[in-house]
Amino acid sequence: MNVPAHVDLAVVGAGPAGRALAHRAVAAGLAVAVIDPAPDTPWRATYGMFVDDLPGWITRDALTRPSSGVVVYTPDRRVVGRPYVTLRTDILQRSLTLDGAAVIVDRASRLTATGVDTESGTRVSARCVVDARGGRGADPGAARQTASGVFLTASTDRRDVGDETVLMDWRHASADSPSFSYRVPTPHGYLVEETCLAGRPPIDVDELGRRTGARLPSGVSTGRLDHEFVDFPLDSAPRPWSRGTRAALAFGAAGGLMHPATGYSVAPSLAAVDTVVAAVVAGRDPRRALWPCRARWVHRLRSAGLEVLLALDGPSITAFFDAFFRLPGDDQRAFLSERGNLAGVVRTMVRLYATVPGELRSVMRRRTIASLVHRAP
Ligand SMILES: Cc1cc2nc3c(=O)[nH]c(=O)nc-3n(C[C@H](O)[C@H](O)[C@H](O)COP(=O)(O)OP(=O)(O)OC[C@H]3O[C@@H](n4cnc5c(N)ncnc54)[C@H](O)[C@@H]3O)c2cc1C
C-alpha cells in the first residue's frame, strides 16, 4: 500500500461517521487518509432516524420506505407526524465509497491534532486528524443504552404485533427497571426490540431478551429468529470541545454527536460532516465550526436530560414522555434534533417542566442543576 506521508485530513475509524466524513472530504478535493483495522466490515446494526435529520446528499436508495409518522404509547396511543426511516446499511456503506482516499488497514495507537501512529508503525501527518473510533473509549461508569430485539419475517409471527413504526411503547413498563418496546420495519423484517433507554448500570441484555419474548404473540419462539443486541455508552464524550488543541478532533459517537438522552448519533453525524469538511477546506478550525457556543449549551442541556431520565422509575418515565409528546412538534424536534437551537431547547425544557406532574418537577430541577454545575465548563 502506498501511504502518503502528509494529507489534509486523516480520519481514524470508518464507521458511519468517519466513512461519511472521508467520503465527503474526497469529494471536496481534500487529500484524505482513512485508518481502520477493518474498514469494510459490513454494518449490521439497525440504524433508525427521523427523515428530516438526514442531509440531502444521502442516496435515497439507502432509505427504506419512510413511515408517515411514529407512534408512542405513554400509555395512551399518540401519533407524532414526523416521517421516520431505517437505513439499508449495505447500500449506505457502499455509497460512501473511499475511492480517492488512502485506506490504511491498521489500528491507530496514538493520535494528535496533526498525526497518527498505527500499531504496525505507519505514521501519517495531516493538517487535521479526526478521531471517529466510536464509543469504545468511554468511561466504565458511563450511562449505557441496551436493547435486545428479534426480526419477525413470517406473517404468522407478526400477527397481533401490527406493522406500525413505534418509537416507544411504555405500556407494561416494569416499575423499578423500566424499558420500552421499539418496533420498526427494517430491510431484514419487522424489528421488535425491548430497550433500556439509559441505565447506569443498564438493564442486562438477557433480561431485555426475555421481555421481548413476552411481547410476542404466544406460539412465536424467539429461538429461530434473527436477533439484534445493543449495548453502547451514551455519554462517552462529555465535553468534546474542551479537549486541548493538541488533541485530534473527536467526531461521531466518539465526539459528542450522539444525543446523550436518546442514543441517536448516525443522522447527526452525517449531517455534521460537511461542517467539518468546509472548515478544513477553508483552513478554519473545525472544532469551533462544529461546537459554536450554542451547540455546547445544547449538549450540556441534553446531558442534563440524561441525568433526569436516569432518576425515573417506570410510572415517572411514562408520565415524563407523556408530557413530552404532548408538547408542540417544534418543541419536540428542538430537543431531539436541533443541536444548534439553544433557544428552542430551553423553551422545550421550560414547557416540559411546566407540564409534568408536580412530583417530577423536583427531580427535573435537582438533576438539571446538578448536571450543569457538576459538568462545567
Ligand atoms: C446494535 C446497535 C443499534 C444502533 N441503532 C442506532 C439507531 O437506530 N440510530 C442511531 O442513530 N444510532 C444507533 N446506534 C448507536 C450509534 O449510532 C452507532 O453505534 C454508530 O455505529 C456510531 O457510529 P460511529 O461511526 O460514530 O462509530 P462506530 O460505528 O462505532 O465506528 C467506529 C469505527 O472505528 C474503528 N476503530 C475502533 N478503534 C480503532 C482504532 N484504534 N484505530 C482505527 N480504527 C478504529 C472501528 O473499526 C469502527 O469501524 C446503534 C448502536 C448499536 C450497537
Side-chain angles (χ1 to χ4, degrees):
M1 180 193 7
N2 210 355
V3 179
H6 187 82
V7 290
D8 296 314
L9 180 69
V11 181
V12 182
R19 196 176 178 99
L21 179 61
H23 173 76
R24 295 289 290 173
V26 170
L30 294 174
V32 178
V34 178
I35 300 103
D36 192 302
D40 295 320
T41 301
W43 299 337
R44 299 248 178 252
T46 301
Y47 291 140
M49 58 211 53
F50 290 106
V51 177
D52 56 15
D53 281 342
L54 282 166
W57 53 262
I58 290 287
T59 173
R60 297 289 118 176
D61 293 349
L63 312 188
T64 54
R65 196 158 63 85
S67 67
S68 56
V70 295
V71 174
V72 292
Y73 292 92
T74 59
D76 294 337
R77 182 178 187 276
R78 182 169 296 112
V79 178
V80 177
R82 216 179 146 194
Y84 191 87
V85 77
T86 53
L87 296 184
R88 298 181 192 282
T89 44
D90 52 339
I91 296 179
L92 177 69
Q93 192 171 14
R94 271 202 308 276
S95 75
L96 300 175
T97 161
L98 297 179
D99 294 350
V103 179
I104 301 168
V105 182
D106 206 344
R107 184 171 288 279
S109 53
R110 184 167 168 275
L111 281 68
T112 67
T114 54
V116 183
D117 292 307
T118 72
E119 284 184 351
S120 60
T122 302
R123 178 167 177 81
V124 180
S125 77
R127 277 206 288 130
C128 174
V129 173
V130 170
D131 177 359
R133 289 178 292 178
R136 288 163 186 77
D139 184 296
R144 304 184 75 85
Q145 185 168 110
T146 48
S148 175
V150 290
F151 295 91
L152 304 183
T153 47
S155 59
T156 48
D157 294 345
R158 295 177 63 155
R159 71 185 189 279
D160 305 332
V161 180
D163 58 3
E164 55 189 7
T165 296
V166 180
L167 194 66
M168 291 180 156
D169 181 350
W170 289 102
R171 292 174 299 174
H172 319 298
S174 142
D176 53 359
S177 64
S179 59
F180 66 88
S181 177
Y182 171 68
R183 303 193 289 275
V184 286
T186 79
H188 313 292
Y190 186 64
L191 174 64
V192 178
E193 192 161 82
E194 195 71 15
T195 304
C196 166
L197 181 58
R200 197 187 280 139
I203 304 174
D204 187 76
V205 169
D206 291 342
E207 167 60 15
L208 293 170
R210 200 190 57 69
R211 294 183 188 183
T212 293
R215 299 251 188 190
L216 300 179
S218 59
V220 175
S221 149
T222 57
R224 62 185 172 74
L225 301 172
D226 284 341
H227 287 66
E228 173 168 274
F229 303 106
V230 178
D231 185 354
F232 60 83
L234 286 163
D235 49 0
S236 56
R239 293 290 179 266
W241 57 85
S242 62
R243 294 177 192 174
T245 49
R246 292 191 185 163
L249 172 73
F251 189 73
L257 293 181
M258 179 175 285
H259 193 311
T262 68
Y264 284 88
S265 86
V266 175
S269 299
L270 297 174
V273 154
D274 281 357
T275 302
V276 175
V277 171
V280 177
V281 167
R284 286 186 280 112
D285 179 1
R287 196 179 322 244
R288 293 183 73 156
L290 202 53
W291 292 105
C293 189
R294 59 184 186 281
R296 299 177 187 192
W297 276 103
V298 166
H299 190 77
R300 288 183 180 101
L301 291 170
R302 289 173 164 186
S303 301
L306 168 63
E307 295 303 322
V308 172
L309 293 175
L310 287 166
L312 302 181
D313 63 10
S316 323
I317 203 164
T318 306
F320 180 91
F321 280 108
D322 191 53
F324 181 83
F325 285 111
R326 281 176 196 276
L327 294 175
D330 285 353
D331 289 351
Q332 296 175 28
R333 186 194 314 260
F335 187 78
L336 295 176
S337 295
E338 296 172 1
R339 56 182 295 275
N341 184 359
L342 177 58
V345 171
V346 171
R347 185 190 65 219
T348 304
M349 292 179 80
V350 169
R351 284 191 177 155
L352 185 61
Y353 181 79
T355 321
V356 293
E359 62 275 16
L360 271 177
R361 285 198 199 130
S362 67
V363 179
M364 284 183 75
R365 202 170 50 241
R366 277 188 286 108
R367 286 277 174 153
T368 302
I369 292 169
S371 173
L372 293 177
V373 171
H374 176 65
R375 285 263 179 102

